Each structure stands twice: as structure tokens, then as C-alpha cells.
Amino acid sequence: MANILPTRTKYRKVQKGRIYGDAKGGDSISFGDYAIQALDRGRCTAAQIEAARVAINRYLKRKGKVWMRIFPHKPVTKKPAETRQGKGKGAVEYWCAVIKPGVILFEISGVPASQAREAMRLADGKLPFRCRFIVREGVEIL
């Protein structure tokens, strides 16, 4: 499994932060005809994003085009097991994307609506929050 992570970052470790508010941008369909939109807030790991992407591509059998609208920019650190407190911040364990309600996660075009809906349903099962299937305005669902 190819690990999705930034090639370089300004800082190696970042603070946890809080996830509040709704998506400021990336909340409308820009590329494809069909998409899944997050309904809850949370963090989505690089492995979860990759699993969802693979589920979509496997179901569509490489037909159509898929856009991944989220990217794991945030490093999450963890201290080793059975380590005493202090001694600084732990090493980077994995990368995650901060997800706010309303953000578009994946987009698809070039396939029928029924296929797109099923592919997105499979992807939704891989993600740690609720999502909904949406269609671009003007696109007919057959």
C-alpha cells in the first residue's frame, strides 16, 4: 500500500488543534459529476484515504476518472508504549487530514450514477465519519 504523505513540510511536528466550524472551502463539486461529502468532523488517516481510493478504483475497474479532494497534511505523533512522561514530544506515527462537515472527499465522472453511488458507498465504509452521495447540478441521474 502506497503511503500518502507530504514530500516536505515546514515543521516536523504540529500541535493537535481542535476541529470546529464547517468547511470554508472545498465544499462544492469542482471536477467530477458525482461526489461524497463529509457530514461529521474528524481526522482521516492516510491509510483510510488510500483504502477508500482503492475501493473506488477496484469497483469501477479503472473506468471513469476519480479525484481525491483531501490530502493528509497533518502529522500525528505518539510516544512509545510504556514510556514515562516528559522527555519531549513523540515521533511522527502517521499523517492525517482534518475533515470538517461539508468538505468534498472524492469525485467521480465518466460512469453511470448507479455505479458511482455504489463505489462511493464502498468508500464511505472505509472512512471514520458519515458521508453522503451528491450529484453536480445539471447532471441527470438515470
Side-chain angles (χ1 to χ4, degrees):
M1 183 173 92
N3 197 11
I4 310 168
L5 62 128
T7 48
R8 57 188 298 271
T9 56
K10 189 170 183 180
Y11 298 107
R12 201 161 46 103
K13 300 170 183 177
V14 300
Q15 292 183 336
K16 184 178 296 203
R18 295 287 176 269
I19 308 168
Y20 44 76
D22 294 342
K24 284 194 296 192
D27 56 351
S28 57
I29 299 178
S30 301
F31 306 104
D33 296 329
Y34 311 102
I36 50 172
Q37 185 177 40
L39 295 175
D40 296 334
R41 68 190 75 247
R43 295 196 299 192
C44 191
T45 68
Q48 289 165 340
I49 296 169
E50 179 68 9
R53 187 191 67 79
V54 167
I56 291 170
N57 286 337
R58 285 219 176 117
Y59 183 78
L60 296 179
K61 297 192 174 79
R62 312 235 334 256
K63 289 182 175 61
K65 181 142 176 58
V66 179
W67 288 270
M68 195 170 77
R69 295 283 306 274
I70 54 173
F71 188 83
H73 289 290
K74 189 170 197 132
V76 177
T77 62
K78 191 176 178 199
K79 285 190 156 187
E82 299 180 14
T83 304
R84 289 190 178 191
Q85 290 297 302
K87 305 278 191 287
K89 196 169 166 80
V92 173
E93 185 81 0
Y94 60 90
W95 292 82
C96 73
V98 174
I99 306 298
K100 293 183 175 186
V103 77
I104 301 293
L105 307 170
F106 291 93
E107 294 185 28
I108 298 177
S109 70
V111 294
S114 58
Q115 269 192 308
R117 185 180 290 276
E118 180 60 20
M120 294 302 198
R121 188 190 67 77
L122 293 170
D124 186 11
K126 309 289 182 192
L127 300 170
F129 37 75
R130 293 179 310 126
C131 301
R132 71 175 175 183
F133 180 76
I134 59 172
V135 181
R136 180 197 286 275
E137 284 183 31
V139 174
E140 294 179 20
I141 303 174
L142 301 174

